[in-house]
Amino acid sequence: MSDVSVVGGGVIGLTVAHELAAEGHAVTVIAARDHRASVSSVAAAIWFPHDVAPTPRVLASGEASYRRFVQLAADPSTGVRLRHGTVVHRRPDPDLSWTSAVPGTAVAQTVPEGATGVRCLLPLAVTDAYLAWLQKQVQGLGVRFEARTVASLDDVAGDVVVVAAGLGSAALLGGDDELYPIRGQVVRLANPGLTDWWLDGDNPAGLTYVVPRDHDVVCGGTDDVGSWDESTHADVEAAVLARVTALVPELAGQPVLSRAAGLRPARTSVRLERVDGHARPVIACYGHGGAGFTLSWGEAADVVRLVQQSEPARRN
């Protein structure tokens, strides 16, 4: 078994660390910010391949993660919930490739005028509860944590290094012109008793989603390609609130509990591969856009396979 350093403490990094440690590897997670300050904490965290190219490998990864989340939802302490909702489509030829991973999808009977939709059951994660649970599980497997910034892979120990640092991954790997930020802003409202979610990515007024959790409703959002702005803006929030209340009138007048903005690490395609040119195995795992939770368990399984494939070469 290898000593593996995972650079990145968001949902991808923590899940990769979990699966490597479960296989018996000695794992260290290195991150300047823990999960509470990562973009993962901002996410609505509903299973859906948003802002990610739906390649066959990505769809397989999403399907594996869907199955794992369904298992986790049986234990309320994980923070994973299974909820029904509607994916709204406003184009004549919507991409339905994601439905292959989701059993029991059906044509939605209630959608905005002029739209179609899919009704289904999806997992979602109450982010603070889920990420805290995941970190506790990882620690229970003996994973070590180092809170520091990594400027170079030369500063990282271990037989194998996994780079899962989101937008920070490119600098550690000598650059990546295909990686870019997509800014997302959300506002969290008090939950008036909603359980059904709505995803309306084709809304002509802007990206719109409503994701009820235990005590709040995550309302979004924005898809600001190329923006590095992590601050929230009142005019953007007002526009989000107008869209979500038009879609779900019960949200009108609900108090704002919190607000946030984060940068999705998007890429022309997810990068999950061994990176050549290093004296030891270095594995890249980043570029998941708005689908970090959606792909996390499947991606972690693929990282484990790459690490195991690298071990004979390392020993030789």
Side-chain angles (χ1 to χ4, degrees):
M1 293 298 171
S2 300
D3 290 324
V4 185
S5 290
V6 178
V7 183
V11 68
I12 294 291
L14 287 177
T15 311
V16 165
H18 184 283
E19 295 299 83
L20 285 168
E23 288 294 319
H25 298 284
V27 181
T28 301
V29 172
I30 308 171
R33 298 190 282 183
D34 70 8
H35 63 83
R36 289 166 293 191
S38 71
V39 67
S40 299
S41 68
V42 178
I46 188 168
W47 186 101
F48 194 77
H50 181 64
D51 283 339
V52 67
T55 65
R57 196 201 67 79
V58 164
L59 291 172
S61 191
E63 183 173 4
S65 299
Y66 184 100
R67 293 194 300 266
R68 187 65 167 265
F69 281 125
V70 169
Q71 294 172 353
L72 293 175
D75 179 359
S77 70
T78 64
V80 179
R81 314 288 182 247
L82 294 178
R83 299 277 171 81
H84 287 93
T86 302
V87 180
V88 177
H89 297 296
R90 299 175 186 266
R91 304 178 185 181
D93 57 345
D95 178 11
L96 298 176
S97 58
W98 58 273
T99 60
S100 63
V102 181
T105 58
V107 175
Q109 300 302 312
T110 303
V111 292
E113 184 177 357
T116 60
V118 174
R119 179 85 175 163
C120 57
L121 182 72
L122 295 183
L124 64 88
V126 180
T127 48
D128 54 352
Y130 176 71
L131 291 170
W133 172 86
L134 181 56
Q135 177 152 332
K136 183 178 180 180
Q137 299 303 305
V138 167
Q139 291 171 326
L141 290 169
V143 172
R144 297 176 57 249
F145 285 81
E146 295 182 9
R148 62 183 177 91
T149 299
V150 177
S152 166
L153 294 186
D154 292 337
D155 300 331
V156 178
D159 304 317
V160 180
V161 178
V162 179
V163 178
L167 289 169
S169 300
L172 295 175
L173 296 172
D176 184 345
D177 292 338
E178 297 183 46
L179 181 65
Y180 58 94
I182 300 181
R183 177 183 177 276
Q185 180 170 329
V186 301
V187 55
R188 305 180 186 103
L189 302 181
N191 191 342
L194 302 176
T195 56
D196 280 18
W197 48 263
W198 289 83
L199 304 179
D200 188 1
D202 295 331
N203 191 317
L207 173 65
T208 305
Y209 52 87
V210 173
V211 181
R213 305 191 298 186
D214 291 355
H215 306 295
D216 63 7
V217 182
V218 182
C219 300
T222 63
D223 256 335
D224 303 326
V225 175
S227 173
W228 290 91
D229 182 6
E230 293 185 83
S231 58
T232 60
H233 299 279
D235 59 334
V236 174
E237 181 175 304
V240 168
L241 290 173
R243 295 198 297 274
V244 300
T245 53
L247 185 63
V248 184
E250 296 94 325
L251 292 172
Q254 293 299 317
V256 172
L257 300 182
S258 63
R259 48 182 61 90
L263 306 180
R264 306 179 186 103
R267 198 173 182 274
T268 50
S269 62
V270 172
R271 189 178 188 190
L272 202 164
E273 62 182 0
R274 178 166 172 175
V275 182
D276 295 331
H278 297 272
R280 56 186 168 173
V282 173
I283 296 167
C285 182
Y286 64 89
H288 299 94
F293 282 88
T294 300
L295 303 177
S296 55
W297 291 102
E299 298 296 271
D302 282 349
V303 169
V304 169
R305 283 191 284 271
L306 286 175
V307 170
Q308 292 171 337
Q309 291 168 8
S310 299
E311 285 185 317
R314 179 174 60 80
R315 288 195 295 267
N316 292 336

